[in-house]
């Protein structure tokens, strides 16, 4: 009889508790998701060709009706952009699937756990809150180390502005520290750090990736994606050392590409240095990715080809 | 009037009754039979008053010489209906008398009585008014049988004399005229019901007597005095050990003439059951298929007895000191069955077929549907954590099992609604909030007529869930036991239908984000059916 009572008591206690927490939801809301930071690339349509091809323009010999190579460049860059976002956010995915291990008034801790992907290391995720500001750190330490042994591989901030993941935030991946601590990070071994800054509280939203190379192997590469109402997208990035026009110098280019959900788009290529420094090339394409309009600021005889009116209205992304 | 020794007077009465029995066939009989489970304020609903009335009505039609057109059966009707039915029968009796017929009016009432009046639901009919009405009625003989609490007060009122059993004075003249009143209890006694008998003790023994057990003369006819003396003895005996104490029926009469009245003719139906003279002595019980004792028979040696059972199959039981003798007999219409001892078999007491073996103190249960609303006292909690929600549910209740007027309930309820989350740093996610409640309660009732306020305690197990439409937000749940109080009022508009309005207040310990003591209230309505 006593065993039955004990069993009944255990059953009753097991039937109590749970994870019904408003604070948990607010902490989770401070973590970005892929759809918040990933670039929404233009949809590929039937009959479209050239899109996504790895073809950097060595010269601007473009004919109307041909597939836009700049559009292909944008799509390729966009996929790389999204891959980088995915790689970073994958570190946070496990957090969403588990309730916190420790709940304190303005602090949540998941872990520590033994990290099965990095033998000999413990991992934990710590979030803190101060008013509307959240800070979080994905921390590692060597198994057996004390509390002071924790260091942050990934850190982030988020300033909430209500709404579902609406606000201003940043993430930082400290690859250099990982290498110093002996934590394998082969996928990003060429980097010293990776930073993401974003704002999702108002349109157009903005996400900026900055790749800082290890030992100055290449200049800091920045990719900026913006999104306006009606899913108008914009990608901006630098293309150094391009041979845009015949001459003795290579050109450093700044490419700004905009697109609409139906596949139409426009690219503006600003020449930052080289033979035609200060020049500007504009190209528009239709839903099939075929060039409908070009404008070369340096071409005295044929400054434009096609109809400018075929270029979509992207004024929502201005400013 | 000289007072003779009791035995002499009783003998004189029996002789007079025998003489008057010959006139029974020429008597036009009218019957008003009323049963009312409800007695208005300050009374508990009875369980079997209407059933007693039904049985008596059927018995009078089958064996009492009352034509269906001359009988009125009133169930849960009020005093106005009672008096209207009585007036109609009186009118019919006057018409019969005008045609030269002798008439008898039989009035039977089973129900509440208190403070000198019959309680018919929320209406009253004073003993004096009823007695005056019967005294003024035109029928030659008026017989009132009142099976109700404190009905003995009526036999003490002016114009009637009260007499204990067998102590009956007789005027010794034929063709009696006047008023006879039988009551089930004395002026200061309650009339008791029995679950095992599914009726009141008095009405059961009166009916059993009219079916034959009271036929001491063995002439196949049961007279008024035989029936009364039988009901008196058996009621006193059966209630002697009850918690309410022995119940003493009373009898009074105001007869201008003399003579007993044959109430039932055991041969009238042509059927029934004959217990041969050679059958063993003892008390026989006749149990219907529902397990209820419909008749009893105290069998003496070498005397053939007849029990006017209605057609049907009965189990017959005779109790011996160490065992039962049990058998089955089928009674057919128009052909009296004979009980053969050889068809009875020995059986242990555990095989007693009589209903009521579980509990004699009258537990009963109900099953019902409930609806209500639940809301937390703390505004932020009910706005963004545990929402106010409407609920539907089911509930089973067991009444009078642990203790009289205690109710043990088991309930389950579900509630759900859609909502939008509104938090300081997170606004907009849509979700569905759902609440499940499983509870048990123990309440005490204070019956006051058809209504019964109650108060008690409840323990519930609550499960709250919210499922978000945005898959990035995890679905959440919380479960906890929650003690509380419950109060309300139960209304019994129909005999088996109960309407309950209730309020609950509960304590809930919330311990996810932090230890918080929360409270919530529930308002609800419950419709229950008593099978």
């Amino acid at each position: 009889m006593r065993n039955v009572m004990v069993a009944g008591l255990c059953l009753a206690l097991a039937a109590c508790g749970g994870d019904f927490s408003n604070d948990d939801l607010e902490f989770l809301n401070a973590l970005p998701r892929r759809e918040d930071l990933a670039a929404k690339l233009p949809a590929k349509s039937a009959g479209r060709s050239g899109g996504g091809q790895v073809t950097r323009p060595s010269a601007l010999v473009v004919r109307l009706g041909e597939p836009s190579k700049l559009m292909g460049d944008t799509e390729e860059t966009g996929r790389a952009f999204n891959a980088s976002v995915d790689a970073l956010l994958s570190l946070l995915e496990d957090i969403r699937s588990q309730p916190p291990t420790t709940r304190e008034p303005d602090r949540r801790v998941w872990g520590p756990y033994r990290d099965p992907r990095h033998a000999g290391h413990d991992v934990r995720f710590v979030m803190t809150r101060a008013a509307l500001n959240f800070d979080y750190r994905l921390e590692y330490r060597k198994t057996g180390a004390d509390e002071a042994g924790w260091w942050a591989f990934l850190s982030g901030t988020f300033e909430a502005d209500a709404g579902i993941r609406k606000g201003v935030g940043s993430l930082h991946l400290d690859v250099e520290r990982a290498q110093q601590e002996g934590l394998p990070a082969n996928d990003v071994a060429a980097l010293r750090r990776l930073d993401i800054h974003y704002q999702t509280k108002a349109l157009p939203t903005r996400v900026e990736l900055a790749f800082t190379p290890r030992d100055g192997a290449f200049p800091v590469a920045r990719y900026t994606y913006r999104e306006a109402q009606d899913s108008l997208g914009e990608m901006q990035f630098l293309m150094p050392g391009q041979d845009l026009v015949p001459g003795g110098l290579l050109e450093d280019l700044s490419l700004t590409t905009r697109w609409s959900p139906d596949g139409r788009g426009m690219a503006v290529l600003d020449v930052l240095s080289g033979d035609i420094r200060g020049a500007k090339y504009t190209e528009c394409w239709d839903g099939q990715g075929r060039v409908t309009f070009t404008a070369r600021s340096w071409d005295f005889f044929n400054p434009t080809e096609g109809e400018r009116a075929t270029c979509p209205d992207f004024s929502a992304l201005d400013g | 009037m000289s007072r003779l020794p009791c035995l002499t007077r009783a003998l004189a009465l029996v002789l007079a009754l025998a003489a008057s029995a010959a006139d029974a066939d020429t008597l036009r009989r009218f019957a008003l039979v009323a049963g009312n489970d409800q007695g208005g304020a300050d009374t508990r609903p009875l369980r079997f008053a209407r059933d007693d009335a039904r049985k008596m009505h059927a018995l009078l039609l089958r064996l009492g010489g009352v034509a269906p057109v001359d009988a009125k059966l009133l169930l849960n009707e009020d005093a106005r209906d009672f008096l209207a039915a009585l007036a109609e029968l009186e009118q019919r009796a006057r018409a019969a008398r005008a045609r030269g017929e002798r008439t008898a009016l039989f009035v039977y009432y089973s129900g509440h009585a208190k403070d000198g009046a019959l309680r018919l639901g929320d209406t009253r009919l004073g003993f004096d008014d009823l007695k005056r009405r019967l005294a003024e009625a035109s029928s030659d003989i008026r017989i009132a049988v009142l099976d109700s609490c404190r009905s003995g007060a009526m036999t003490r009122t002016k114009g009637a004399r009260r007499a204990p059993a067998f102590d009956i004075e007789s005027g010794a003249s034929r063709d009696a005229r006047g008023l006879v009143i039988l009551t089930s209890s004395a002026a200061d006694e309650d009339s008791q019901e029995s679950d095992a008998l599914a009726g009141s003790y008095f009405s059961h023994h009166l009916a059993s007597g009219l079916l034959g057990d009271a036929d001491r003369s063995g002439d196949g006819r049961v007279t008024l005095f035989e029936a009364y003396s039988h009901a008196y003895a058996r009621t006193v005996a059966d209630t002697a050990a009850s918690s309410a104490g022995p119940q003493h029926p009373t009898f009074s009469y105001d007869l201008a003439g003399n003579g007993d009245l044959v109430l039932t003719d055991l041969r009238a139906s042509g059927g029934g059951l004959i217990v041969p003279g050679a059958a063993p002595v003892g008390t026989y019980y006749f149990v219907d298929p529902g397990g209820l004792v419909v008749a009893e028979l105290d069998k003496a040696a070498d005397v053939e007895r007849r029990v006017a059972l209605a057609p049907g199959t009965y189990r017959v039981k005779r109790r011996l000191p160490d065992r039962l003798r049990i058998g089955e007999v089928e009674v057919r219409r128009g052909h009296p069955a004979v009980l053969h001892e050889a068809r009875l078999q020995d059986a242990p007491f555990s095989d007693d077929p009589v209903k009521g073996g579980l509990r004699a103190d009258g537990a009963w249960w109900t099953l019902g549907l409930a609806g209500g609303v639940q809301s937390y006292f703390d505004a932020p909690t009910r706005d963004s954590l545990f929402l106010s929600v409407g609920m539907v549910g089911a509930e089973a209740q067991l009444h009078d099992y642990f203790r009289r007027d205690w109710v043990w309930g088991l309930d389950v309820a579900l509630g759900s609604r859609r909502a939008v989350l509104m938090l300081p740093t997170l606004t907009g996610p849509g979700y569905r909030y759902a609440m499940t409640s499983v509870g048990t309660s123990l309440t005490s009732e204070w019956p006051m007529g058809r209504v019964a306020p109650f108060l008690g305690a409840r323990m519930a197990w609550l499960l709250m869930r919210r499922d978000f439409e945005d898959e990035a937000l995890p679905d959440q749940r919380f479960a906890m036991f929650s003690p509380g109080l419950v109060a309300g009022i139960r209304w019994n508009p129909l005999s088996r239908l109960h309407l309950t309005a209730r309020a609950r207040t509960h304590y809930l310990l919330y311990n996810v984000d932090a230890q918080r003591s929360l409270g919530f209230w529930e308002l609800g309505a419950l419709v229950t059916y008593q099978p």
Side-chain angles (χ1 to χ4, degrees), chain B residues 278-476:
Chain B
V281 298
T283 302
Y284 291 73
Y285 298 89
F286 303 95
V287 185
D288 70 7
L292 298 176
V293 176
V294 295
E296 301 173 20
L297 180 66
D298 187 13
K299 171 72 171 57
D302 300 325
V303 177
E304 180 181 284
R305 300 293 298 274
R306 176 185 287 261
V307 184
L309 296 171
T313 301
Y314 299 88
R315 300 201 75 182
V316 182
K317 180 183 80 171
R318 190 175 80 253
R319 181 179 288 269
L320 301 178
D322 58 343
R323 65 190 188 281
L324 299 174
R325 294 281 290 167
I326 294 178
E328 193 170 278
V329 63
E330 183 175 359
V331 176
R332 296 178 178 172
R333 191 179 305 279
H335 300 282
V338 177
L339 179 65
H340 298 289
E341 176 65 18
R343 300 186 64 178
L344 304 186
Q345 297 178 340
D346 287 341
F349 288 122
S350 58
D351 290 348
D352 194 335
V354 177
K355 180 184 173 184
L358 294 179
R359 294 189 69 84
D361 53 353
W364 51 286
W365 64 283
T366 61
L367 194 63
L369 299 174
V373 62
Q374 180 192 79
S375 184
Y376 282 76
F377 294 111
D378 178 56
T381 298
R382 65 172 178 263
D383 289 341
S384 61
L385 193 68
F386 301 138
L387 308 182
S388 299
V389 66
M391 301 183 300
V392 295
E395 184 163 342
Q397 294 180 334
L398 182 60
H399 295 250
D400 300 342
Y401 183 81
F402 297 109
R403 186 173 173 179
R404 191 170 182 82
D405 295 330
W406 280 24
V407 182
W408 177 46
L410 289 173
D411 60 85
V412 58
L414 307 171
S416 178
R417 59 173 281 201
R418 299 184 67 82
V420 174
L421 194 65
M422 303 287 279
L423 300 175
T425 67
L426 176 57
T427 300
Y431 66 100
R432 174 164 290 282
Y433 172 82
M435 190 282 305
T436 303
S437 167
V438 180
T440 180
S441 60
L442 187 63
T443 59
S444 179
E445 292 187 332
W446 288 270
M448 294 184 292
R450 292 187 178 186
V451 299
F454 60 86
L455 176 67
R458 179 172 181 264
M459 176 63 77
W461 179 77
L462 301 176
L463 171 63
M464 282 75 79
R465 287 184 56 91
R466 55 182 172 189
D467 298 331
F468 288 93
E469 296 163 359
D470 186 337
E471 62 180 17
L473 298 176
D475 297 336
Q476 297 180 325

Side-chain angles (χ1 to χ4, degrees), chain A residues 155-226:
Chain A
S155 59
T157 63
F158 184 72
E159 181 183 351
D161 189 55
I164 304 174
R165 296 183 299 283
K166 301 297 185 190
V168 178
S170 64
L171 292 94
H172 313 282
L173 193 67
D174 192 346
V175 182
E176 185 177 43
R177 180 71 184 270
Q179 290 166 341
Q180 292 170 358
E181 298 288 344
L183 186 77
N186 298 330
D187 295 344
V188 288
L191 298 179
R192 187 162 67 86
R193 60 184 293 119
L194 170 60
D195 299 285
I196 298 178
H197 297 273
Y198 64 93
Q199 80 82 13
T200 54
K201 66 179 182 181
L203 294 174
T205 60
R206 185 173 187 276
V207 182
E208 180 185 294
L209 267 65
F211 297 88
T212 304
R214 186 179 181 186
D215 302 328
F218 55 85
V220 174
R222 297 183 187 278
Y223 296 83
T224 303
Y225 167 74
R226 296 199 304 149

